[in-house]
Amino acid sequence: MFENLSDRLTDVFNRLGSKGRLTESDVDAGLREVRLALLEADVNFKVVKDFVARVREQAIGEEVTKSLTPGQQVIKIVHDELVHLLGDANVPINESKNREQPTIVMLVGLQGAGKTTMAAKLALYMRKKGKTPLLVAADIYRPAAIKQLETLGKQLNIPVFSEGTEVAPPDIAEHALRQARINGNNFVIVDTAGRLQIDERLMGELQQVVERIGPTEIMLVVDAMIGQESVKVAEAFHAKVPLTGLIMTKIDGDARGGAALSMREVTGVPIKFLGTGEKTDAIEPFHPDRLAQRILGMGDVMTLIERA
Amino acid sequence: FRSEDPITDELWDELEELLIAGDVGAENALKIVERVRERCEKKGLKFASEARSLLKSELVNRLDVDTPQYSERSTKPYVILVVGVNGVGKTTLIAKLSNRYKAMGKNVILAAADTFRAAAIDQLQHWADRVGVPVISQQPGADPGAVAYDATQATYNQQADVLIIDTAGRLQSKHNLMKELEKISNVVKKRWQYAPHEVLLVLDATTGQNGLIQARAFTQAAQVTHLALTKLDGTAKGGIAFAIVQEIERPIKYIGTGETINDLALFDGESFVNALFEEE
Ligand SMILES: Nc1nc2c(ncn2[C@@H]2O[C@H](COP(=O)(O)OP(=O)(O)OP(=O)(O)O)[C@@H](O)[C@H]2O)c(=O)[nH]1
Ligand SMILES: Nc1nc2c(ncn2[C@@H]2O[C@H](COP(=O)(O)OP(=O)(O)OP(=O)(O)O)[C@@H](O)[C@H]2O)c(=O)[nH]1
Ligand SMILES: [Mg+2]
Ligand SMILES: [Mg+2]
């Protein structure tokens, strides 16, 4: 098996030995490999289908640039389309337009995705930008979830608002907002419990929190290792609460993170941050081109193509 | 789809897609469907329903691997090391297992060897209190090997039946963290030559193709003996398990189906495969 897409494509086109314009059969042979590579990277199969169809349309008849092999040419088209779909440029975090009203960021997602860790990371990140953050512990279900956020807050010397496990999350959120206004915290980050998108009760609870505090940002936090499920998860969360951003965590591992493409595709919501480790400073603003190269499993060829 | 429908090319495409949608992986799905197709032709099968049944039994067979194992009933103490990447459900699974062994009448001791993640010790302690089993722990940031050492000592002194060691989540690509698992394992080996008797790799059912890389790396670093598949109460099918079981030749022992201590079941290949074919 080939390590990455560029090896695969090079092999296909070497066998075809094609030159000049990309013909239909060249492109189809290449796109078979592209399809496999995207599926191996966990891009959702329906998203792959549409993607491949779009690339096919663009690639057929394309003049092969002198300095590129046909394989590289197809990679370039695939890569550019991927970057385009991932969002072309970084979209910064939304901030409250009203000086009186703090920015409210709410983090939602499946169990274990990395929400609590990301809450702390965002707090630190925004403090470095001059904000005065308040962390809100609205996960009353997971054992020691509040303690986890409090521990992180303490490490960073960032205040954490909590009311134990007996107060309902919408109430906690509202009380926290009041507290933020009193204490002059202009950046409020609400950590919520992990939940399955099919859990009606807990999804309803999220809606209540949203109604009560009207967040500036509702970000879906997703594990980079997630597979084909990503589409169902993103669609269901987006249907219940209007997502404004996606965050992909655990990108410091070796998962390709193709789910980012799927989720961006089905929600139209930009990917804003990446989680790059367990420590609280392991956060990066999202850059589409790097993720595109990662999804395709190549870095080296891109420099080559970029020079062409 | 009706039972008298004939086998068509579209059927094979559909089945392949169904496997891919369940995270079986594109290449693996292709291979499995191809093999079932050949078998169908050889047998002269005509109906789509027959093809589906054959595919199901092929899938069930692929999950059925034999592994040398120690008896959890008669090995004393029975030492279980729980490993996996971050957030898959290790600590919650340990809560469920403690409850299971306690119900079997066993004396259980837990080791809080995740000294890294914020409040990981509190989380384990919470569950242990709920179930009613002791936890051996040190301060946050302590050496996990030292915690494992204390726990083996306690297990030995109290003649406990089962020792379950919780470890910090770690990505398989982090070599020094993977090395740390080896160290923990060696600590218990020093006291009981054949321990840990069970090395349980926990996999999240929503995991895609990276699951196979996880399984390879953890098997190499920590000699995984069994798998546990968590979060099967969601809509994810956990299809990456086929490639994993085939490659590392270790069976799935448990499934996790929720966040409470009762949401645990022994793995059953047939219902797992049937769920793969269910539409939501
Ligand atoms: N390697 C790595 N680990 C991460 C990252 N983000 C979070 N984690 C780890 O993933 C695990 C789960 O993180 P949490 O922040 O507790 O996840 P959560 O979404 O709040 O979990 P629940 O509240 O249980 O739903 C922990 O072990 C974290 O240390 C990341 O970017 N990289
Ligand atoms: N729906 C569902 N959630 C689960 C299941 N098992 C665990 N969880 C949840 O997943 C999240 C992570 O579980 P943990 O047990 O903390 O996972 P872990 O592997 O110990 O995490 P780290 O120690 O941070 O690596 C928690 O919110 C659990 O409640 C399951 O079978 N189904
Ligand atoms: Mg959390
Ligand atoms: Mg844990």
Side-chain angles (χ1 to χ4, degrees):
Chain A
M1 220 184 72
F2 297 104
E3 264 311 297
N4 61 41
L5 185 64
S6 77
D7 289 350
R8 287 171 182 231
L9 288 179
T10 307
D11 182 69
V12 170
F13 290 107
N14 279 347
R15 271 184 277 144
L16 293 171
S18 58
K19 283 187 184 65
R21 266 172 214 286
L22 289 172
T23 67
E24 215 162 308
S25 63
D26 288 350
V27 171
D28 284 341
L31 287 184
R32 193 186 159 272
E33 301 301 327
V34 171
R35 173 178 175 268
L36 281 177
L38 293 176
L39 288 170
E40 289 300 319
D42 294 318
V43 180
N44 180 270
F45 73 101
K46 287 187 195 136
V47 175
V48 171
K49 242 184 224 172
D50 294 346
F51 180 84
V52 167
R54 259 193 309 254
V55 169
R56 185 172 190 273
E57 214 166 278
Q58 284 180 41
I60 290 172
E62 179 99 349
E63 191 85 48
V64 178
T65 316
K66 280 209 185 64
S67 49
L68 295 183
T69 67
Q72 288 169 337
Q73 181 83 13
V74 173
I75 290 176
K76 185 168 161 34
I77 296 169
V78 168
H79 171 264
D80 292 351
E81 181 67 13
L82 260 183
V83 171
H84 175 59
L85 290 180
L86 284 169
D88 284 322
N90 173 266
V91 181
I93 198 157
N94 292 334
E95 291 189 39
S96 169
K97 303 271 184 316
N98 179 349
R99 271 175 172 278
E100 306 296 306
Q101 174 79 356
T103 298
I104 306 169
V105 176
M106 184 171 154
L107 299 178
V108 302
L110 296 181
Q111 288 94 345
K115 296 174 292 300
T116 306
T117 311
M118 185 48 72
K121 289 177 182 179
L122 275 175
L124 176 62
Y125 183 83
M126 294 314 295
R127 188 178 62 191
K128 285 180 186 162
K129 293 197 178 302
K131 302 287 172 190
T132 48
L134 174 70
L135 285 162
V136 182
D139 175 358
I140 60 170
Y141 307 105
R142 170 175 164 163
I146 298 172
K147 185 75 193 290
Q148 184 186 359
L149 195 64
E150 283 174 347
T151 306
L152 293 168
K154 203 175 213 171
Q155 276 171 21
L156 300 173
N157 201 14
I158 287 173
V160 176
F161 182 89
S162 68
E163 291 184 315
T165 55
E166 299 299 322
V167 180
D171 295 331
I172 296 175
E174 197 177 314
H175 300 163
L177 194 56
R178 201 162 54 204
Q179 174 92 29
R181 288 205 184 98
I182 294 169
N183 291 4
N185 298 109
N186 56 13
F187 203 91
V188 176
I189 302 166
V190 183
D191 179 30
T192 65
R195 65 201 73 213
L196 294 172
Q197 80 280 7
I198 52 170
D199 188 327
E200 291 294 334
R201 190 180 71 80
L202 286 182
M203 293 302 282
E205 180 195 85
L206 275 190
Q207 287 178 309
Q208 286 172 14
V209 176
V210 171
E211 277 163 23
R212 249 355 144 72
I213 59 171
T216 328
E217 283 267 11
I218 305 174
M219 306 226 244
L220 177 68
V221 180
V222 189
D223 186 322
M225 294 172 273
I226 195 171
Q228 297 289 315
E229 269 302 278
S230 62
V231 159
K232 279 188 208 149
V233 174
E235 278 174 345
F237 272 93
H238 197 39
K240 292 277 176 185
V241 291
L243 300 176
T244 57
L246 302 169
I247 296 180
M248 189 164 249
T249 61
K250 309 180 198 175
I251 203 85
D252 46 321
D254 49 20
R256 291 278 164 81
L261 178 69
S262 313
M263 296 188 303
R264 164 84 223 211
E265 213 15 30
V266 298
T267 61
V269 167
I271 304 152
K272 293 200 170 170
F273 291 98
L274 298 178
T276 58
E278 295 192 71
K279 304 232 170 79
T280 43
D281 59 355
I283 178 173
E284 275 176 21
F286 174 70
H287 290 288
D289 45 342
R290 283 187 231 157
L291 193 71
Q293 290 170 29
R294 184 187 179 107
I295 290 174
L296 295 173
M298 48 190 223
D300 43 329
V301 276
M302 280 321 295
T303 30
L304 213 142
I305 291 170
E306 271 154 16
R307 265 187 256 126
Chain B
F1 146 88
R2 294 178 309 270
S3 58
E4 68 271 22
D5 285 346
I7 294 176
T8 58
D9 282 346
E10 287 77 54
L11 173 73
W12 296 118
D13 288 346
E14 250 169 58
L15 292 174
E16 189 189 316
E17 201 156 87
L18 182 137
L19 295 184
I20 292 174
D23 287 316
V24 168
E27 308 220 19
N28 204 22
L30 207 83
K31 241 180 8 210
I32 294 171
V33 167
E34 206 40 56
R35 186 179 144 82
V36 171
R37 188 179 188 151
E38 277 166 22
R39 285 178 57 202
C40 270
E41 278 162 16
K42 234 187 229 151
K43 288 187 166 190
L45 301 182
K46 294 204 171 53
F47 299 113
S49 57
E50 295 173 308
R52 278 181 170 240
S53 311
L54 201 64
L55 175 58
K56 282 188 182 178
S57 67
E58 167 79 23
L59 288 167
V60 173
N61 284 340
R62 281 173 184 248
L63 293 172
D64 187 17
V65 300
D66 243 351
T67 177
Q69 51 190 313
Y70 297 94
S71 159
E72 61 183 17
R73 292 188 185 270
S74 58
T75 308
K76 184 172 170 165
Y78 189 69
V79 181
I80 305 170
L81 179 65
V82 180
V83 302
V85 299
N86 308 79
V88 288
K90 294 176 291 299
T91 307
T92 310
L93 181 76
I94 289 170
K96 297 173 185 177
L97 293 180
S98 315
N99 191 49
R100 172 173 181 266
Y101 284 111
K102 202 172 172 226
M104 285 163 64
K106 304 277 188 190
N107 286 320
V108 182
I109 289 185
L110 304 183
D114 178 358
T115 59
F116 178 78
R117 211 208 60 212
I121 302 169
D122 303 83
Q123 184 190 2
L124 188 68
Q125 187 69 56
H126 169 99
W127 282 122
D129 293 345
R130 184 87 68 89
V131 179
V133 297
V135 179
I136 304 300
S137 64
Q138 291 187 11
Q139 290 307 304
D143 172 25
V147 177
Y149 179 81
D150 286 357
T152 46
Q153 204 69 11
T155 303
Y156 179 80
N157 291 337
Q158 296 168 34
Q159 298 193 25
D161 302 305
V162 180
L163 167 62
I164 311 177
I165 305 170
D166 189 18
T167 63
R170 67 201 70 220
L171 297 178
Q172 71 278 5
S173 52
K174 314 235 154 134
H175 297 289
N176 44 349
L177 293 182
M178 295 301 278
K179 268 265 180 284
E180 184 190 275
L181 286 181
E182 222 175 291
K183 222 180 109 191
I184 296 173
S185 183
N186 284 338
V187 167
V188 287
K189 242 183 225 9
K190 268 210 184 114
R191 183 166 295 272
W192 304 289
Q193 191 186 350
Y194 299 108
H197 307 91
E198 183 171 315
V199 178
L200 204 46
L201 172 63
V202 184
L203 292 157
D204 183 327
T206 55
T207 309
Q209 301 307 300
N210 191 251
L212 182 57
I213 306 175
Q214 291 170 27
R216 274 182 199 143
F218 277 98
T219 304
Q220 205 175 27
Q223 287 82 47
V224 171
T225 66
H226 298 82
L227 303 164
L229 211 49
T230 60
K231 308 186 193 175
L232 272 173
D233 47 326
T235 50
K237 309 292 190 186
I240 189 64
F242 294 100
I244 294 174
V245 170
Q246 281 156 53
E247 182 164 319
I248 71 170
E249 298 184 69
R250 294 288 181 264
I252 305 169
K253 186 168 179 182
Y254 300 106
I255 60 166
T257 56
E259 300 186 73
T260 78
I261 47 175
N262 298 315
D263 298 320
L264 176 76
L266 288 174
F267 178 74
D268 173 58
E270 212 148 311
S271 39
F272 180 74
V273 168
N274 280 331
L276 188 64
F277 284 77
E278 267 162 30
E279 308 261 336
E280 278 81 44

